[in-house]
């Protein structure tokens, strides 16, 4: 989702997808918008995920405290950046997340000691691989203890692969790079995720081992739905 609305989040959570991701990097969603959206998504019984603005160590704990189940952090280019991300997202001994998220604690239905021992398993953290630098370091990044998954941003990846020449989400170079990411994820027991955005991309990425997708963006779904309706009415 890119549109900041708790009401819309409840509707999107009822669509036939497995969860809802709030895009706080490129979407128009700030933290005070995200709080009621996460609550609405969880109330429907779906997991809420957050794509954070940047690899700021303050963000994962805040998102998990608000009830998010996963944080996807953009532009992770080095092992050190991946370690910083895990440190921010996981309680000791895996990391250094700070205690105090009563919203998540109460929503979990767990006692504090149970939440502490379960939280690192219940909250997932993904490193976005979306630059040439990240690709060169992908083996080291994927081996970061505590990381749950890799998530490819095919647009930024193809922009950096072509040195700014263009966006080519299904180009030969992009697919070859994504095969490397999928192999690194598999080798380390991580989820291999990617921004799909449409059926064609999702199918192509499934063929090379990806299993977790940002399927489509809310504004695209609106545009496609309106265009399909308009076309069906043309005589
Ligand atoms: C990318 O393709 O670069 C993304 O970050 C998808 O949102
Ligand atoms: Mg990107």
């Amino acid at each position: 989702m890119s549109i900041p609305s708790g009401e819309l989040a409840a509707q999107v959570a009822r669509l036939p997808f497995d969860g809802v991701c709030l895009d706080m990097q490129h979407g128009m969603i700030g933290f005070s918008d995200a709080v009621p959206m996460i609550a609405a998504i969880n109330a429907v019984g779906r997991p809420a995920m957050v794509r954070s603005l940047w690899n700021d160590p303050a963000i994962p704990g805040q998102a998990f405290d608000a009830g998010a189940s996963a944080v996807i952090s953009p532009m992770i280019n080095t092992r050190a950046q991946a370690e910083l991300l895990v440190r921010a997202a996981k309680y000791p001994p895996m990391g250094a997340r700070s205690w105090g998220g009563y919203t998540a604690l109460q929503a979990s239905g767990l006692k504090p000691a149970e939440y502490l021992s379960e939280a690192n398993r219940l909250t997932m953290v993904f490193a976005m691989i979306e630059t040439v630098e990240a690709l060169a370091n992908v083996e080291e990044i994927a081996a970061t203890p505590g990381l749950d998954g890799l998530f490819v941003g095919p647009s930024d990846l193809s922009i950096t692969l072509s040195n700014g020449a263009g966006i080519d989400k299904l180009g030969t170079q992009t697919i070859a790079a994504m095969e490397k990411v999928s192999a690194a994820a598999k080798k380390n027991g991580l989820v291999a995720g990617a921004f799909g955005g449409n059926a064609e991309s999702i199918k192509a990425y499934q063929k090379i081992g990806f299993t977790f997708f940002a399927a489509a963006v809310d504004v695209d779904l609106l545009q496609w739905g309106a265009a399909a309706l308009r076309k069906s009415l043309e005589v």
Side-chain angles (χ1 to χ4, degrees):
M1 289 188 73
S2 67
I3 302 167
S5 162
E7 285 149 36
L8 189 60
Q11 296 299 337
V12 171
R14 293 186 188 103
L15 296 177
F17 300 111
D18 298 316
V20 183
C21 184
L22 309 183
D23 187 358
M24 297 177 71
Q25 183 189 22
H26 294 299
M28 301 296 121
I29 301 170
F31 186 67
S32 48
D33 303 310
V35 172
M37 294 174 81
I38 292 169
I41 296 160
N42 286 340
V44 175
R46 295 273 194 232
M49 292 158 271
V50 164
R51 193 253 290 265
S52 53
L53 181 59
W54 201 246
N55 193 28
D56 178 338
I59 295 179
Q62 191 185 42
F64 293 146
D65 285 356
S69 300
V71 167
I72 301 173
S73 193
M75 296 279 180
I76 301 297
N77 293 327
T78 64
R79 169 68 176 248
Q81 289 169 356
E83 285 173 358
L84 184 72
L85 174 62
V86 170
R87 204 176 140 72
K90 304 287 184 181
Y91 287 116
M94 228 178 230
R97 181 180 163 193
S98 169
W99 182 263
Y102 298 106
T103 302
L105 174 62
Q106 291 185 2
S108 75
L110 299 172
K111 294 192 171 67
E114 290 166 344
Y115 183 79
L116 178 62
S117 67
E118 290 296 306
N120 287 352
R121 193 177 59 78
L122 297 176
T123 53
M124 299 183 75
V125 70
F126 289 78
M128 283 196 75
I129 305 295
E130 50 181 351
T131 65
V132 170
E133 188 186 2
L135 204 58
N137 295 327
V138 72
E139 295 284 345
E140 281 179 43
I141 293 171
T144 306
L147 194 65
D148 297 296
L150 302 178
F151 195 91
V152 174
S155 297
D156 278 316
L157 184 59
S158 59
I159 288 170
T160 65
L161 280 168
S162 66
N163 197 24
I167 298 172
D168 192 0
K169 287 174 62 190
L170 295 172
T172 318
Q173 241 192 333
T174 313
I175 294 293
M178 288 181 70
E179 279 177 329
K180 191 175 166 190
V181 178
S182 149
K186 192 168 182 190
K187 186 174 159 198
N188 291 279
L190 303 187
V191 177
F195 177 85
N198 57 48
E200 191 189 9
S201 297
I202 293 169
K203 285 181 190 165
Y205 303 157
Q206 272 177 327
K207 279 198 194 124
I208 53 169
F210 286 82
T211 59
F212 173 67
F213 301 99
V217 180
D218 48 12
V219 288
D220 281 339
L221 290 169
L222 271 174
Q223 196 183 50
W224 298 338
L229 175 64
R230 177 73 206 213
K231 195 161 192 296
S232 74
L233 295 174
E234 275 165 19
V235 284

